[in-house]
Amino acid sequence: MQKPPQPQDFALRETSPNIGAGQVTPADKLACTYDLVEQMQYLYVRVVKAKELPGKDVTGTCDPYVEVKLGNYKGVTRHFEKKSNPEWNQVFAFSKERIQASSLEVVVKDKDVVRDDFMGRSMFDINEIPKRAPPDSPLAPQWYRLEDRKGEKVKGELMLAIWMGTQADEAFPDAWHSDAAAVAGEAVSRIRSKVYLSPKLWYVRVNVIEAQDLVPSDKSRYPEVFVKAILGNQALRTRISQSKSVNPMWNEDLMFVVAEPFEEPLILSVEDRLGGNKDDVLGRCMIPLQNLQRRLDHKPVNTRWYNLEKHIGEGEQKKVIKFASRIHLRVCLDGGYHVLDESTHHSSDLRPTAKQLWKSSIGIFELGILSAQGLIPAKSRDGRGSTDAYCVAKYGQKWVRTRTIVDSFSPRWNEQYTWEVFDICTVITIGVFDNGHIHGGGDKGGGGKDSRIGKVRIRLSTLEADRIYTHSYPLLVLHPSGVKKMGEVQLAVRFTCSSLINMLHKYSHPLLPKMHYVHPLSVIQLDSLRHQAMQIVSMRLSRAEPPLRREVVEFMLDVDSHMWNMRRSKANFFRIMGVLRSLIVVGKWFDQICHWKNPLTSILIHILFIILMLYPELILPTIFLYLFIIGIWNYRWRPRHPPHMDIRLSHADAVHPDELDEEFDTFPTSKPSDIVRMRYDRLRSIAGRVQTVVGDLATQGERFQSLLSWRDPRATTIFVTFCLIAAVVLYVTPFQVVALLTGFYVLRHPRFRHKLPSVPLNFFRRLPARSDSML
């Protein structure tokens, strides 16, 4: 049974953009390396430096800067104080499709308090500007003599390089763009494209073995000692030692997440629980992470004794006392694990931390971020709606961020990025955001946030090799009012396989590195460590320039995916029902065969059953041949496009408003007590049904156990006697005869059936369970 189609507005659309792939011509060098995006022509002006500029001030010096004018667009360099030979080395990029002027004017001016003085200019005809396309070497800048407004030569020269190029030019990412002419000052750095790398994450394993010669403050009682470990903002503690003495033992593992470069030491303190919330510190030690051994496999590292120090006094009177107490530890950096910083259901990288354990790549994934259409206003500016959109893509350790297109509901980025692929069963995530730090936002201007517009996930294993997929993906976001389409983003993707054998061999490998199976971590540990890893990654990326904001990183990593909500629970329930639907269909079909709804089909099944019983060696080949035929038959209807966000699968199209309000509630809750009470009662009723189902499953299992437990002596006697008779009969009767008789009994005609339950089922339901003993 096929699921109903999504509404057309929320569906994936195949597009036909004018990209370079498949159109390579000898004269078009861009198509060789930048072939998944549309070409965008730009006029580039590199202002390098000037010399021998005339003095304009009373002191005979000048404060020069350069204006680059093209029609209504004007780019300005920074100015220098009292310098006649300044060096700028700034690049300006003007979009060709918006050029309306026929000439380019480059003006040198002197910064002044009242009015800036004109020092000279150079004029260029647009039609005479040369073209350049990578991999050509950069155009060499030239000296141009400055002219006055009448065209006569004046003192001073300006070094410039001017050419027509595309977004593939190496000067493109750091250039000033005419599309963002309204952005000035520090905000210019916040709109540029950038590539980021996640910090290298390690698991730190602290095996606390024992301590010796502790000196408790209260010697009249047995000490209740535990060890507290602190690493950055992570704090863990062992259980209280069972050996309540001055030589306690634990042999307990504590796990932390840490990122290179290691900034903070590991601090261990041995504490005595005095009662209530009061603990007495018996000793403390500090361990720098740089000196720790890096473990690549499951072999234990060497243990080491660390001396404990105790601090006495406060402030300037504080003293460090070293004494004979010490702690026995085994501490290492575990490089054989993959540190999970994403949701396990759509991870983009599964390699271990240690680079020595990495396998060779199996291919290349290329992503072309073309454009977006129909974006909804994300904020208000000058009394009208506005959106300053940019894209972020994350795969493996590499994050990419496109430039921000200012004030546009249909931005065109046309930027292409490449990743090495080490595992085909991984997912790339692409998010679209509104830049909230251009006009008056940012850390100094009120702390605005970059609002989310939507997200797309593409699983690489669903892509055919060497095929280019060009689709427009709906940007769907769940709001308190319901699911909302925020626009569409147009992408072009291609996976190129470098080794088919290695790629197919990957399917036989474990999903995670070896250490996850040799020394597995508990589910609770993994969940806690994943949360810590997310915090570290978001903190490190938010310190880059331009920063990748914390809210952006958390949205891309699905930081709240572990939180319970009613909508997702219903969606997962219907997913389970979808998986079981095929079994239910087979069961209904078999029931129709047994009840002879179609006599011809029932007769054919009888004949097939007899053949398989007479020749049992045909059973397995027949099953595999049947599966092969189904697979070949379904090949005609195989998916021809990548998967995307499905509102029906997510149960977002029919969710109740109160359930959405609960999903967007904070943790802990911020709702009034009456709403919390209503939701708690609703959760209790749902949990009551789940409790009933779990109890029924336990009852059936206990009935099986009671067959031989003599809890019901009569029932066990009947079953044991039946087992003896069945054993004797099966010893003397060929198995094929027994199987044929059983099959004919199951497939018997309805006139030989009764509407009452069968004898074995009646017997099983009468068996006792332990539910009678429950309070």
Side-chain angles (χ1 to χ4, degrees):
M1 182 178 171
Q2 206 169 13
K3 65 180 180 181
Q6 292 199 83
Q8 191 65 31
D9 195 36
F10 294 150
L12 189 72
R13 291 189 303 106
E14 190 163 6
T15 58
S16 302
N18 184 27
I19 60 177
Q23 306 174 18
V24 180
T25 60
D28 186 10
K29 299 179 182 178
L30 173 70
C32 300
T33 56
Y34 230 60
D35 59 345
L36 293 185
V37 293
E38 298 176 349
Q39 292 190 32
M40 298 178 70
Q41 298 291 330
Y42 286 88
L43 168 61
Y44 288 97
V45 180
R46 181 185 295 276
V47 181
V48 184
K49 57 184 176 180
K51 66 180 181 179
E52 300 176 1
L53 296 177
K56 292 288 183 179
D57 298 341
V58 178
T59 59
T61 60
C62 60
D63 306 327
Y65 69 92
V66 175
E67 279 185 358
V68 183
K69 294 181 180 179
L70 185 62
N72 295 327
Y73 295 104
K74 181 176 69 174
V76 181
T77 69
R78 62 189 181 278
H79 81 279
F80 288 97
E81 297 282 346
K82 295 180 172 54
K83 198 168 186 180
S84 58
N85 297 303
E87 290 189 18
W88 294 282
N89 201 26
Q90 285 183 246
V91 180
F92 299 85
F94 298 87
S95 177
K96 186 179 179 182
E97 64 182 22
R98 297 190 181 185
I99 294 178
Q100 297 177 346
S102 59
S103 62
L104 170 72
E105 182 182 8
V106 183
V107 183
V108 182
K109 290 188 174 182
D110 174 48
K111 189 80 172 177
D112 209 342
V113 178
V114 181
R115 183 181 177 185
D116 297 347
D117 297 323
F118 176 87
M119 301 178 69
R121 69 178 181 179
S122 291
M123 300 289 291
F124 301 90
D125 189 343
I126 297 295
N127 298 321
E128 300 295 326
I129 293 176
K131 289 186 178 181
R132 173 190 176 260
D136 286 355
S137 297
L139 201 67
Q142 299 180 38
W143 285 106
Y144 294 90
R145 187 74 177 269
L146 296 179
E147 301 174 350
D148 60 15
R149 299 188 190 278
K150 297 178 181 179
E152 296 179 1
K153 302 295 183 183
V154 297
K155 185 181 179 183
E157 291 183 74
L158 185 62
M159 181 179 277
L160 301 172
I162 304 172
W163 71 96
M164 295 295 297
T166 65
Q167 74 269 35
D169 201 293
E170 62 270 9
F172 181 78
D174 295 323
W176 173 93
H177 289 274
S178 59
D179 299 341
V183 181
E186 293 182 3
V188 172
S189 65
R190 301 183 189 133
I191 66 172
R192 287 179 175 152
S193 58
K194 192 67 68 175
V195 176
Y196 306 84
L197 288 177
S198 290
K200 189 175 183 179
L201 300 174
W202 292 81
Y203 283 149
V204 180
R205 184 185 294 271
V206 183
N207 179 222
V208 184
I209 303 172
E210 59 180 328
Q212 280 186 358
D213 304 327
L214 298 180
V215 184
S217 57
D218 185 1
K219 295 182 173 59
S220 63
R221 52 181 284 278
Y222 291 110
E224 299 181 5
V225 185
F226 63 91
V227 176
K228 182 190 290 184
I230 299 175
L231 183 57
N233 61 351
Q234 307 170 68
L236 296 174
R237 47 164 289 177
T238 66
R239 65 186 185 280
I240 294 176
S241 174
Q242 298 297 316
S243 54
K244 297 184 177 180
S245 67
V246 294
N247 299 310
M249 298 187 67
W250 295 278
N251 198 24
E252 190 171 337
D253 277 352
L254 304 176
M255 296 288 289
F256 297 91
V257 181
V258 69
E260 289 186 356
F262 305 131
E263 297 176 343
E264 295 174 324
L266 173 67
I267 300 173
L268 293 169
S269 61
V270 181
E271 302 185 16
D272 181 16
R273 172 62 53 84
L274 298 179
N277 295 323
K278 190 176 181 183
D279 301 321
D280 181 30
V281 178
L282 304 181
R284 183 179 282 117
C285 72
M286 186 180 297
I287 305 173
L289 299 182
Q290 292 87 346
N291 304 329
L292 295 183
Q293 184 176 341
R294 303 189 178 197
R295 186 172 74 161
L296 305 183
D297 52 25
H298 62 282
K299 297 176 182 176
V301 299
N302 297 326
T303 63
R304 183 178 167 186
W305 287 95
Y306 291 88
N307 292 324
L308 295 173
E309 300 175 349
K310 191 166 186 178
H311 298 269
I312 297 179
E314 295 293 337
E316 296 180 359
Q317 305 296 324
K318 190 174 184 179
K319 295 181 180 179
V320 177
I321 299 179
K322 296 184 178 181
F323 51 103
S325 297
R326 56 183 188 161
I327 187 169
H328 195 195
L329 303 172
R330 181 183 283 115
V331 190
C332 67
L333 293 166
D334 260 334
Y337 291 93
H338 168 67
V339 180
L340 292 165
D341 61 345
E342 305 168 279
S343 175
T344 51
H345 300 297
H346 30 260
S347 290
S348 64
D349 190 12
L350 301 167
R351 293 172 294 170
T353 299
K355 203 167 184 177
Q356 302 94 308
L357 302 177
W358 291 4
K359 306 294 184 184
S360 58
S361 65
I362 61 172
I364 296 292
F365 178 78
E366 296 164 280
L367 169 68
I369 304 174
L370 282 78
S371 61
Q373 296 88 29
L375 297 183
I376 292 177
K379 55 181 174 283
S380 178
R381 183 184 300 150
D382 300 330
R384 59 181 180 84
S386 175
T387 298
D388 306 317
Y390 67 92
C391 279
V392 174
K394 196 264 183 194
Y395 183 77
Q397 292 182 329
K398 180 179 173 182
W399 299 67
V400 300
R401 168 182 173 149
T402 68
R403 69 192 189 282
T404 300
I405 305 298
V406 179
D407 198 14
S408 175
F409 300 132
S410 301
R412 295 176 62 215
W413 295 286
N414 284 303
E415 297 183 26
Q416 184 170 336
Y417 299 95
T418 304
W419 287 266
E420 274 191 299
V421 178
F422 292 87
D423 195 320
I424 190 69
C425 301
T426 45
V427 177
I428 184 171
T429 304
I430 303 105
V432 184
F433 301 88
D434 172 70
N435 196 326
H437 300 81
I438 297 179
H439 301 278
D443 301 330
K444 299 179 182 178
K449 286 190 174 184
D450 290 359
S451 57
R452 58 186 71 170
I453 297 177
K455 181 165 57 180
V456 174
R457 295 193 201 99
I458 301 174
R459 184 170 289 274
L460 270 59
S461 60
T462 63
L463 304 178
E464 298 176 16
D466 300 316
R467 178 187 164 190
I468 297 174
Y469 292 82
T470 53
H471 290 87
S472 186
Y473 296 80
L475 296 170
L476 307 177
V477 173
L478 202 60
H479 288 278
S481 57
V483 67
K484 192 174 183 181
K485 182 179 177 181
M486 305 292 288
E488 295 182 359
V489 62
Q490 190 174 357
L491 305 174
V493 299
R494 174 173 59 200
F495 169 66
T496 305
C497 177
S498 59
S499 174
L500 180 62
I501 300 297
N502 288 344
M503 182 177 70
L504 296 179
H505 187 51
K506 272 288 179 185
Y507 282 89
S508 65
H509 287 190
L511 196 62
L512 292 168
K514 180 181 176 181
M515 283 292 289
H516 285 269
Y517 306 98
V518 177
H519 275 185
L521 302 172
S522 68
V523 175
I524 297 175
Q525 268 185 314
L526 283 174
D527 193 53
S528 173
L529 293 170
R530 172 177 168 261
H531 179 72
Q532 293 296 335
M534 285 181 173
Q535 299 299 318
I536 292 172
V537 171
S538 62
M539 181 186 69
R540 287 288 181 92
L541 293 179
S542 66
R543 287 159 50 184
E545 187 59 44
L548 205 56
R549 301 281 169 183
R550 187 184 189 92
E551 61 271 16
V552 172
V553 176
E554 289 182 349
F555 181 61
M556 296 288 288
L557 295 180
D558 286 312
V559 72
D560 57 349
S561 61
H562 65 289
M563 297 295 290
W564 182 87
N565 62 72
M566 184 71 74
R567 176 191 62 83
R568 198 171 291 161
S569 300
K570 287 183 179 179
N572 287 331
F573 172 78
F574 286 115
R575 285 174 61 199
I576 293 175
M577 294 306 297
V579 171
L580 298 177
R581 188 175 292 120
S582 57
L583 297 177
I584 295 171
V585 169
V586 171
K588 289 181 178 179
W589 172 80
F590 186 73
D591 185 66
Q592 291 176 354
I593 297 297
C594 294
H595 287 83
W596 292 68
K597 298 290 184 181
N598 188 334
L600 180 61
T601 305
S602 296
I603 292 171
L604 291 175
I605 292 298
H606 276 78
I607 296 172
L608 177 63
F609 176 70
I610 293 171
I611 294 173
L612 293 178
M613 288 298 101
L614 294 177
Y615 304 97
E617 64 273 10
L618 297 179
I619 294 176
L620 284 178
T622 303
I623 292 174
F624 285 112
L625 180 63
Y626 179 67
L627 295 175
F628 169 78
I629 293 172
I630 291 177
I632 295 299
W633 181 261
N634 288 341
Y635 181 78
R636 298 169 57 193
W637 293 282
R638 68 190 185 280
R640 300 296 295 170
H641 55 76
H644 64 291
M645 300 297 181
D646 191 327
I647 61 168
R648 293 195 187 280
L649 182 68
S650 307
H651 205 67
D653 56 338
V655 62
H656 193 274
D658 183 65
E659 294 174 4
L660 279 175
D661 185 58
E662 181 181 22
E663 183 171 347
F664 283 92
D665 191 11
T666 57
F667 186 85
T669 182
S670 58
K671 298 295 179 183
S673 58
D674 55 339
I675 295 179
V676 174
R677 187 181 299 110
M678 181 269 292
R679 290 174 180 169
Y680 174 65
D681 291 340
R682 181 177 63 192
L683 188 60
R684 285 181 66 189
S685 65
I686 295 171
R689 296 173 204 165
V690 175
Q691 173 183 287
T692 302
V693 172
V694 172
D696 289 342
L697 291 174
T699 297
Q700 307 310 320
E702 289 168 355
R703 283 173 176 167
F704 271 110
Q705 291 178 338
S706 64
L707 284 171
L708 296 171
S709 67
W710 296 92
R711 180 173 292 275
D712 182 343
R714 283 162 293 278
T716 302
T717 302
I718 294 171
F719 181 70
V720 169
T721 306
F722 169 78
C723 289
L724 177 63
I725 296 172
V728 173
V729 171
L730 292 175
Y731 268 125
V732 299
T733 308
F735 175 77
Q736 290 172 302
V737 175
V738 175
L740 276 171
L741 292 176
T742 304
F744 283 134
Y745 176 77
V746 172
L747 297 171
R748 67 192 184 278
H749 196 273
R751 71 176 59 184
F752 301 112
R753 295 178 181 274
H754 299 286
K755 293 184 177 180
L756 298 177
S758 62
V759 172
L761 188 60
N762 291 333
F763 177 78
F764 181 75
R765 286 176 175 170
R766 289 177 176 275
L767 292 171
R770 303 190 67 183
S771 55
D772 307 335
S773 304
M774 289 188 66
L775 292 173

